[in-house]
Amino acid sequence: MDRAESQRRVTIVDVARHAGVSTTAASKVLRNAYGASPAMREKVQRAIEELGYRPYAAARGLRGQTYTIGVMLPDIRNPFFPDILDGLTDTLRDTDYHVLLGPSCDNEKDEGKLTDAMVDRGMDGLVLIAPVMSHSRLERLAATIPTVVVGRHSRSEHYDTVTDDDTVGAALVVDHLADLGHRRIAHIEHHETDPARLAEMPNAVRADGYRKAMHARGLEADIVSTSYTQEGGYLGTQQILARAQRPTAIFAGADIVAMGVLTALSEAGLTVPEDVSLAGYDNTSFAALGPISLTSVDQAGHHIGTDAARLLLERIADRNRPASQVKLSPKLVPRRTTAPPRA
């Protein structure tokens, strides 16, 4: 093979010629279609391996499918999202589908650009993790491409959803801390002002669950609004510590927020849980680290990813099936960062 040939992309015609079969026969093997004998399949597969043939995704897309699924993440630094991705990839491992990731930077403009790019590239379906885009845009997008929305408490005839019961999860934290004897329990939430997102986003539902649980216990809610980031936890804790009366416990809305809380408390010369108890949400690998041992709410990230992949495959196979809403039940995992307050 000369230099020009070696640089040329191997085609199905090359595979068929190398295997000594017709192009139609080679295509049947690639499509796993009826009519290809075991001997023919073996010859074609051997030719594919020897030539290093890869199907051209764009050409497959012209025939209807690219076997790619786009996953939109709001923040690639959040240690909870890999749990969801593990569930997705585990479910898709024995299929022809591949996952392509895209960070949205948690704002509507970037989400729009990213999802448009995924649609333009012929992806077969989308998994959107906690999207902040408007409900009308979600509806239009799902009418264009099979879509599963993760984390957002919304309903639609066009897309499926997988959520954690964030109201219950927040109550688990409040009840745990109150049962330990805490009465001043602060919560660091992700700042939100949009009315639609206040009703649907997991952070807003979680904060509302905290308020309701505190009220049920006869306790006064104390909320600091920053962001679901490590910096947000750090800044929120600084605001809390600047108050005249310090809370005896902090409920961080996510484990990544708890990272910042730990840093701020340490800088202030305070220890956990001796001075301040701390609970997170997500039960990430960070929470389970021995030196950290963070009390956290487990919302089954792997299970969320598994359900999202399953629903998307079902939606791809049948665009007209009724939409599904899956809500998972969280559980509290107590660890060493929570204890009774000092007398």
Side-chain angles (χ1 to χ4, degrees):
M1 183 179 294
D2 61 28
R3 180 178 177 82
E5 288 180 325
S6 66
Q7 293 179 336
R8 181 176 60 85
R9 187 184 183 99
V10 176
T11 68
I12 192 173
V13 175
D14 300 318
V15 171
R17 186 181 299 118
H18 194 78
V21 301
S22 68
T23 302
T24 301
S27 177
K28 283 184 178 181
V29 173
L30 288 168
R31 292 183 287 109
N32 197 27
Y34 176 79
S37 68
M40 183 188 297
R41 291 182 186 279
E42 183 179 353
K43 288 195 292 185
V44 172
Q45 290 295 342
R46 189 185 307 120
I48 288 172
E49 293 174 6
E50 292 174 355
L51 295 177
Y53 171 74
R54 297 292 303 155
Y56 188 38
R60 296 174 79 182
L62 291 174
R63 296 194 297 270
Q65 285 186 278
T66 59
Y67 294 96
T68 56
I69 289 173
V71 177
M72 186 184 75
L73 299 171
D75 183 1
I76 61 175
R77 288 169 292 274
N78 191 318
F80 174 60
F81 297 139
D83 294 340
I84 298 177
L85 293 175
D86 283 346
L88 278 164
T89 55
D90 285 350
T91 303
L92 298 173
R93 181 165 288 115
D94 294 328
T95 72
D96 292 329
Y97 289 95
H98 296 278
V99 170
L100 297 180
L101 303 179
S104 68
C105 300
D106 200 26
N107 68 77
E108 287 190 68
K109 182 179 179 181
D110 286 343
E111 281 188 357
K113 291 167 61 178
L114 179 62
T115 52
D116 284 347
M118 288 177 169
V119 171
D120 291 345
R121 283 156 179 78
M123 294 187 180
D124 296 330
L126 301 179
V127 174
L128 309 179
I129 300 178
V132 299
M133 67 181 68
S134 68
H135 193 266
S136 60
R137 181 172 177 82
L138 270 177
E139 291 282 352
R140 292 195 302 271
L141 186 63
T144 303
I145 183 172
T147 301
V148 173
V149 175
V150 170
R152 185 160 170 166
H153 297 259
S154 58
R155 299 182 69 89
S156 170
E157 296 180 0
H158 299 109
Y159 58 82
D160 306 293
T161 61
V162 184
T163 61
D164 170 65
D165 194 330
D166 292 292
T167 301
V168 169
L172 289 174
V173 175
V174 171
D175 289 342
H176 169 68
L177 293 170
D179 287 344
L180 288 173
H182 294 278
R183 294 296 175 264
R184 299 192 304 276
I185 305 168
H187 175 54
I188 301 177
E189 69 166 356
H190 182 88
H191 181 65
E192 187 61 77
T193 57
D194 182 86
R197 292 200 291 265
L198 281 169
E200 298 180 353
M201 294 301 289
N203 51 284
V205 175
R206 210 165 290 171
D208 187 57
Y210 158 81
R211 292 186 186 91
K212 291 176 178 176
M214 291 289 283
H215 178 75
R217 285 282 187 154
L219 303 175
E220 185 177 349
D222 179 8
I223 295 182
V224 173
S225 296
T226 55
S227 64
Y228 270 10
T229 62
Q230 188 169 346
E231 181 185 21
Y234 180 82
L235 295 175
T237 305
Q238 287 187 321
Q239 293 180 42
I240 289 171
L241 296 180
R243 294 173 179 171
Q245 190 173 41
R246 188 181 72 217
T248 60
I250 296 175
F251 168 28
D255 284 358
I256 192 170
V257 178
M259 293 180 185
V261 175
L262 287 169
T263 301
L265 290 175
S266 177
E267 288 183 0
L270 300 173
T271 58
V272 174
E274 290 80 9
D275 296 309
V276 180
S277 282
L278 173 63
Y281 205 107
D282 291 334
N283 195 34
T284 60
S285 56
F286 159 81
L289 288 174
I292 305 299
S293 192
L294 175 69
T295 294
S296 187
V297 174
D298 186 353
Q299 58 171 324
H302 189 278
H303 196 171
I304 289 174
T306 296
D307 281 339
R310 173 181 58 81
L311 290 174
L312 187 59
L313 291 176
E314 292 174 0
R315 175 68 55 190
I316 291 171
D318 181 6
R319 292 294 303 274
N320 297 315
R321 71 169 181 79
S324 298
Q325 287 82 38
V326 175
K327 181 177 287 189
L328 302 177
S329 298
K331 65 178 182 179
L332 185 75
V333 183
R335 295 192 180 94
R336 293 197 305 271
T337 58
T338 50
R342 283 178 172 173

